[in-house]
Amino acid sequence: MRLRLRSGALSAGCLLAEALGVALFLRGFFPLPVRSVSRGEARAEPPAEPAPPGTGIASNWTKIPPPLFRKVVIVLIDALRDDFVFGSKGKQFMPYTTQVVEKGTSYSFIAEAKPPTVTMPRIKALMTGSIPGFIDVVVNLNSPALMTDNLIWQAKAAGKRIIFYGDDTWVKLFPKHFVEYDGTTSFFVSDFTEVDDNVTRHLDRVLKREDWDLLILHYLGLDHIGHVTGPNSPLVGPKLREMDNILKKIHISLLSKEGEASLPSLLVVCGDHGMSETGSHGGSSEGEVHTPLLFISSAFEKKSGPLTQLELVQQTDLASTLAVGLGLPISRNNVGNIILPVVGSRTMREQLRFLHMNGFQLSTLLQENTPAYGKDLGYEQFKIAEKSHGNWIKLYLEGNNSEILLNLGKKVLKQYLEALRTLSSSLSKQVAQYDMYSMMVGTVIIMENAGASNSSWSEVDVLILAGTIGHVLSLGASSFIEEEHQTWYFLINTLCLALCQELCRNHFLLKECDLQLGTTVKQNFDSIGEASECRNIDVQAASDSKLGKAASSAEFVKGSDKWISLASPWIILICCRLLRSLNQTGVQWAHRPDFGHWLTSSEHKSELSVLAAVSLVMIFVLVQRRCSLVSKIAMALGLLGVYSYRAAIGNVVFPWQRDSKDISKGITEARFVYVFVLGIVFTGTKDLLKSQVISADSSVKSTGLWEVYSGLVLLSALLFRPHNLPVLVFCLLIQTVMTKYIWRPLKFDAAQITIMHYWFGQAFFYFQGNSNGIATVDVSAGFVGLESYVEIPAIFLTAFATYAGPLLWAIHLLCYLSSEVSRNSAAVGHGCFCYALMRSIPVAIYIVLVTGLRYHLFIWSVFSPKLLYEGVHVFITAAICLFFTAMDQNHFQNVQD
């Protein structure tokens, strides 16, 4: 008895230890960059031109070539997808940019960004030419100063005067590098206009000045629109038109200041990443990784016709290209290639010089990171090209101007480009440098704690066990991880069919004599239970035996809810099918239209408003039944506040509203809801504390738990987007149906009920529209009711909105087990133990699988995001188990007495 009561505390302790192991494993799996060199080394002299063969002839070009451009302006438009410029939206909303692209002096490319496609790692890639570690997706919220060699530092060291306006991530990455700057926070996603106006207001003044060499502008409005309303929002077009006007102003100003004797200026237009079909980013879908890259300068040849097939380049290629354009050394950690058309107007000797510098830098980086670099194909190709380059220099210095010199130059150019591509590919594959010691220690801790939990697995049903094992085994395949939602949908559908069979068997297939015998035995067990309760002796509930189940079923057959009970699994199946059509998720079918996209389109705002209003009413009906009168009133007002908030920000409309021109941030309305959330949670917490002191009345504890649960439901309703409110309704409906018509009549034990809660929690994680990709995290939820970015609340709200499904099902599990007075006193602790086990086993196995697959082709695009999701989920589960343990302490004290 005492061991079983301690199971909740034991499982919480094991899960905390496992969380420590996961953190240690993540430290080894996502190490900080190790290739950084000191800035003193970064200023090393550039390589000389390759030495010509023979004696008596030598090249005296040992310095970095002079800059190609007088001034450079970089306009980075956050979340600018390639089709926003090169597609139909570009032609419609960016006419000036389209004209320059098709008929002006420009070069256009599609730049491919590597995951994670979030801002801070992408800025690092653009300015260093290197591929940042995946862990940068976490530190993206609080960017530390960039200490590795980069274009900004090289420009400052060379005396270039740099001005920056826009996303303050740049200010954090490059402190004290700008002679003038004005940073704006990038995380307050409800701001569509001020965040860009704060950049544009400086333009007229700074464009008239001559005291700068490099101007960087980072616009955030488009990214914020994508997060809140998606890429097909009617707000996207006006924002693109605004950006087009800004580019026109900058381009005309640069052209007006170019004299005949001075060098030309360069305007670079790019995006740090794109956006998915839902408006988020972080993953590896085409919309997220493909961004436009435009080079606009009078130095280039004028285009004569519309665009043909655009060349695909790497985002990391920009750093080396801008370095030679500004007359700077190429960053030591760069893995990108110079984009040749940008320097194509220079002489053959200059072009070969640029490519040799790039190849020398890449081969040096390869030598520093690969012991057997001499056998690398790219290194061998570079040495061959370098030798041919020496032969070309010999002919050039001898004054040979024949066609032989031109043809040899073209050949060397081709050899260099091939070598650069191979070297870049080799270096990109070596980004992963793992701390195997931390990974192994973390794995040992995780496996030991998972093994320690395995002692109570005997009570788990064989069918449920088979499904759990099947899910764990599926984590070894990238396709199953991408489409994990299909696994959970299959498991809960199968579970519903199994429950249907169980209900039919208990209603129709039991013989009358068995029922009578079962009833007699149940009565005997009840009398024994009552006597043992007086002596504090634990006796398993009658449901632990088949006879007990028969008895309870016999009683239920006589009830009036028989047919509703039989229909309940089918009702749940229908609910799940409707939820599947609401949000397409995963990878394979994420692009297909779903009901959620239909609802969020601007022409269906009335339908969305009706659905949101009906959903909020249903939420009140389903959740208020066990709340106190005060909490019921608070819940009703809070749900009204939720609708008011969504109306304020323009998602829905009230019947008396003619239009939605008066859109605000809804801060007052959201804070109005927060007051009621805190009030309901406080009321529940007060009852829980009361039950810990006065433990005689279990109803006080049950009411307190339910009110805490109700407060979390209200918070979820506020954070969920309006089209997702039916997810919350069906969550509550399924919990109500299963409680009344399945769990209580069939008398499942705590382990079975716990695993069912866990399965449905996982399914509802995906019903929300989540996936195992970073792009589906709804960042806008972290800024509901906030006037500016506040790190702790933003992280909490984002995490809560993301994991609302598993959280609500876990808290409902605690409410259910605590309220079932017919159960033995160890039910809560046993449920906690099983819940911890269900989280521990998949994580332990997945850690081992990821270690073995760390060089897999999809390690960064598929396995790593899933690892981050699992790590966060472990910490959340540890907090849940601690809450379970706290709620089980009064039982422990009773036994001790």
Side-chain angles (χ1 to χ4, degrees):
M1 173 66 177
R2 292 174 183 270
L3 177 61
R4 295 195 62 167
L5 287 175
R6 293 190 186 101
S7 64
L10 176 62
S11 60
C14 288
L15 206 60
L16 284 173
E18 183 170 2
L20 174 64
V22 170
L24 194 58
F25 182 88
L26 291 176
R27 179 190 178 278
F29 193 81
F30 298 123
L32 295 175
V34 295
R35 290 202 195 129
S36 59
V37 295
S38 68
R39 288 176 174 171
E41 293 180 62
R43 293 298 296 175
E45 288 297 319
E49 278 188 312
T55 57
I57 302 176
S59 170
N60 60 356
W61 196 359
T62 59
K63 301 295 183 183
I64 296 174
L68 308 181
F69 305 103
R70 185 175 67 93
K71 289 181 181 292
V72 174
V73 179
I74 301 174
V75 180
L76 193 158
I77 304 173
D78 211 293
L80 185 66
R81 296 198 329 190
D82 60 326
D83 60 331
F84 285 176
V85 176
F86 304 130
S88 59
K89 281 189 173 70
K91 288 181 170 60
Q92 182 180 358
F93 300 112
M94 303 187 76
Y96 184 81
T97 305
T98 300
Q99 182 185 4
V100 172
V101 165
E102 294 183 350
K103 299 179 181 179
T105 54
S106 66
Y107 288 108
S108 304
F109 306 92
I110 295 177
E112 183 180 30
K114 300 294 185 185
T117 47
V118 292
T119 296
M120 191 269 281
R122 295 303 96 219
I123 294 175
K124 282 187 176 181
L126 288 166
M127 293 296 104
T128 66
S130 61
I131 301 176
F134 200 91
I135 195 61
D136 282 325
V137 74
V138 177
V139 297
N140 182 58
L141 293 172
N142 188 19
S143 312
L146 182 61
M147 301 306 296
T148 58
D149 186 18
N150 61 81
L151 182 73
I152 301 296
W153 183 80
Q154 291 283 6
K156 182 177 183 293
K160 303 286 185 183
R161 295 158 298 179
I162 313 169
I163 295 178
F164 170 77
Y165 304 120
D167 183 353
D168 61 0
T169 303
W170 291 77
V171 181
K172 297 174 184 177
L173 285 173
F174 310 108
K176 301 180 181 179
H177 285 67
F178 306 119
V179 295
E180 183 180 317
Y181 66 87
D182 185 9
T184 57
T185 181
S186 60
F187 295 106
F188 189 53
V189 296
S190 299
D191 180 6
F192 304 155
T193 54
E194 291 181 17
V195 72
D196 287 345
D197 291 344
N198 287 336
V199 178
T200 306
R201 65 191 175 96
H202 298 284
L203 270 185
D204 290 333
R205 176 177 53 84
V206 79
L207 289 174
K208 294 176 182 177
R209 292 159 41 187
E210 293 291 333
D211 60 344
W212 57 270
D213 304 293
L214 177 59
L215 173 63
I216 303 172
L217 309 172
H218 188 150
Y219 285 94
L220 289 162
L222 182 64
D223 176 71
H224 291 184
I225 290 172
H227 278 297
V228 176
T229 62
N232 300 314
S233 165
L235 299 174
V236 169
K239 179 57 68 175
L240 292 177
R241 186 178 289 113
E242 177 189 343
M243 295 296 104
D244 188 57
N245 292 331
I246 290 168
L247 294 175
K248 179 179 180 180
K249 176 186 289 188
I250 296 171
H251 188 212
I252 292 175
S253 176
L254 292 177
L255 290 176
S256 67
K257 291 184 176 296
E258 289 184 3
E260 293 184 3
S262 66
L263 289 172
S265 298
L266 174 66
L267 171 60
V268 180
V269 184
C270 61
D272 54 346
H273 51 74
M275 67 172 72
S276 67
E277 287 304 312
T278 60
S280 294
H281 54 87
S284 56
S285 69
E286 185 173 318
E288 295 168 82
V289 300
H290 284 176
T291 64
L293 179 58
L294 311 180
F295 296 90
I296 304 170
S297 174
S298 60
F300 307 145
E301 293 183 3
K302 195 170 185 179
K303 296 288 185 300
S304 57
L307 283 176
T308 55
Q309 184 68 30
L310 291 169
E311 181 183 349
L312 182 68
V313 299
Q314 296 300 309
Q315 197 179 58
T316 50
D317 295 341
L318 180 64
S320 54
T321 305
L322 286 181
V324 298
L326 289 167
L328 303 172
I330 298 174
S331 301
R332 286 286 297 271
N333 291 328
N334 167 72
V335 299
N337 301 334
I338 291 174
I339 301 174
L340 189 61
V342 178
V343 298
S345 60
R346 313 303 294 183
T347 66
M348 179 61 74
R349 186 182 187 189
E350 288 177 302
Q351 292 183 55
L352 293 177
R353 172 70 168 147
F354 294 146
L355 294 182
H356 177 254
M357 289 170 56
N358 195 182
F360 184 86
Q361 174 264 320
L362 291 173
S363 62
T364 302
L365 188 61
L366 185 73
Q367 292 178 47
E368 293 173 351
N369 290 273
T370 307
Y373 65 89
K375 297 179 181 179
D376 185 88
L377 177 60
Y379 185 82
E380 293 175 351
Q381 290 175 336
F382 173 70
K383 287 302 179 183
I384 293 172
E386 194 175 41
K387 185 176 181 181
S388 301
H389 190 183
N391 292 330
W392 185 91
I393 291 174
K394 180 180 180 182
L395 290 176
Y396 177 82
L397 294 177
E398 288 174 349
N400 189 329
N401 293 319
S402 66
E403 191 174 340
I404 297 175
L405 182 68
L406 178 62
N407 290 336
L408 180 59
K410 291 180 178 178
K411 177 185 175 182
V412 178
L413 211 64
K414 186 177 180 181
Q415 288 177 331
Y416 268 135
L417 290 173
E418 185 65 30
L420 292 179
R421 279 192 290 267
T422 310
L423 282 168
S424 181
S425 177
S426 298
L427 288 165
S428 298
K429 293 175 182 177
Q430 296 177 19
V431 170
Q433 297 190 14
Y434 302 99
D435 181 355
M436 292 303 297
Y437 177 77
S438 295
M439 289 171 64
M440 289 300 103
V441 172
T443 302
V444 169
I445 293 174
I446 293 166
M447 296 302 291
E448 283 183 351
N449 284 281
S453 303
N454 205 28
S455 57
S456 293
W457 189 253
S458 59
E459 296 186 47
V460 179
D461 185 270
V462 173
L463 178 62
I464 296 177
L465 176 61
T468 304
I469 292 175
H471 164 253
V472 171
L473 294 178
S474 72
L475 297 178
S478 60
S479 297
F480 276 96
I481 292 177
E482 289 178 336
E483 308 298 323
E484 188 182 356
H485 59 286
Q486 301 286 9
T487 301
W488 289 112
Y489 296 166
F490 172 79
L491 287 177
I492 61 172
N493 289 344
T494 306
L495 177 61
C496 287
L497 294 176
L499 291 174
C500 182
Q501 184 270 340
E502 183 74 9
L503 286 166
C504 290
R505 185 182 67 82
N506 280 274
H507 280 304
F508 299 121
L509 301 182
L510 290 175
K511 295 179 181 180
E512 184 67 27
C513 60
D514 292 335
L515 297 178
Q516 293 173 355
L517 177 61
T519 303
T520 303
V521 173
K522 180 182 183 296
Q523 292 171 351
N524 292 336
F525 267 91
D526 286 343
S527 61
I528 295 172
E530 291 173 1
S532 62
E533 187 176 301
C534 299
R535 299 190 300 271
N536 270 338
I537 300 173
D538 179 36
V539 176
Q540 289 291 331
S543 60
D544 287 348
S545 67
K546 292 182 179 180
L547 292 176
K549 285 191 177 183
S552 62
S553 299
E555 292 176 355
F556 189 70
V557 168
K558 299 174 185 178
S560 60
D561 295 333
K562 169 183 175 181
W563 298 108
I564 299 178
S565 177
L566 290 171
S568 59
W570 302 101
I571 295 173
I572 295 169
L573 281 172
I574 292 171
C575 293
C576 292
R577 185 62 192 89
L578 292 173
L579 287 172
R580 289 184 65 173
S581 64
L582 185 63
N583 292 304
Q584 290 283 3
T585 186
V587 174
Q588 297 297 326
W589 296 279
H591 63 283
R592 293 186 178 179
D594 52 38
F595 190 48
H597 281 93
W598 184 85
L599 285 169
T600 53
S601 61
S602 57
E603 58 268 24
H604 298 126
K605 184 173 286 188
S606 298
E607 291 87 343
L608 178 61
S609 301
V610 172
L611 179 66
V614 171
S615 297
L616 292 172
V617 171
M618 289 295 297
I619 289 170
F620 176 76
V621 170
L622 291 167
V623 83
Q624 57 81 36
R625 66 188 190 277
R626 292 172 59 185
C627 294
S628 63
L629 178 61
V630 174
S631 294
K632 287 179 182 180
I633 296 173
M635 176 64 68
L637 293 174
L639 292 172
L640 180 61
V642 170
Y643 192 91
S644 300
Y645 165 73
R646 289 298 169 182
I649 66 174
N651 294 145
V652 299
V653 293
F654 282 107
W656 54 85
Q657 281 184 295
R658 295 289 182 182
D659 52 48
S660 56
K661 290 181 180 177
D662 298 329
I663 294 177
S664 69
K665 297 177 183 177
I667 293 174
T668 302
E669 292 84 353
R671 291 180 177 177
F672 177 80
V673 179
Y674 284 137
V675 169
F676 292 111
V677 170
L678 293 175
I680 295 171
V681 172
F682 175 77
T683 302
T685 305
K686 182 186 69 174
D687 288 340
L688 291 176
L689 293 175
K690 185 178 178 181
S691 70
Q692 297 288 58
V693 178
I694 310 172
S695 57
D697 189 2
S698 61
S699 63
V700 175
K701 176 182 174 182
S702 179
T703 302
L705 283 171
W706 188 260
E707 290 190 330
V708 170
Y709 175 74
S710 303
L712 297 180
V713 169
L714 179 57
L715 179 59
S716 301
L718 175 64
L719 300 181
F720 276 22
R721 298 195 183 195
H723 76 278
N724 256 351
L725 288 174
V727 176
L728 201 52
V729 174
F730 284 128
C731 174
L732 297 171
L733 180 61
I734 292 173
Q735 289 172 351
T736 302
V737 169
M738 295 192 78
T739 298
K740 186 173 182 179
Y741 298 110
I742 296 178
W743 293 327
R744 283 176 180 163
L746 294 181
K747 295 286 184 180
F748 284 114
D749 61 34
Q752 292 169 315
I753 291 174
T754 298
I755 295 171
M756 290 182 201
H757 274 82
Y758 179 82
W759 280 18
F760 273 95
Q762 292 298 103
F764 270 84
F765 174 83
Y766 296 103
F767 284 145
Q768 291 176 231
N770 290 320
S771 71
N772 286 324
I774 305 297
T776 51
V777 176
D778 184 8
V779 181
S780 64
F783 304 90
V784 175
L786 300 181
E787 288 184 347
S788 60
Y789 173 66
V790 185
E791 186 169 346
I792 300 301
I795 292 174
F796 169 78
L797 293 174
T798 303
F800 181 87
T802 303
Y803 291 93
L807 272 169
L808 291 178
W809 278 90
I811 301 301
H812 184 270
L813 170 66
L814 180 57
C815 293
Y816 177 81
L817 294 179
S818 298
S819 64
E820 291 296 284
V821 294
S822 62
R823 296 193 176 276
N824 64 79
S825 57
V828 173
H830 195 191
C832 176
F833 204 84
C834 292
Y835 196 87
L837 185 67
M838 292 298 295
R839 192 85 285 276
S840 301
I841 296 297
V843 172
I845 300 299
Y846 188 67
I847 289 290
V848 175
L849 290 173
V850 168
T851 303
L853 297 170
R854 62 188 181 278
Y855 297 113
H856 193 279
L857 178 63
F858 301 128
I859 187 64
W860 300 116
S861 59
V862 178
F863 292 99
S864 294
K866 172 66 175 173
L867 184 60
L868 289 178
Y869 273 111
E870 291 295 311
V872 174
H873 204 168
V874 164
F875 282 95
I876 291 175
T877 306
I880 291 171
C881 287
L882 285 175
F883 188 50
F884 269 64
T885 304
M887 294 301 98
D888 200 31
Q889 286 302 308
N890 59 326
H891 294 299
F892 179 76
Q893 290 167 3
N894 288 342
V895 174
Q896 292 286 58
D897 294 340

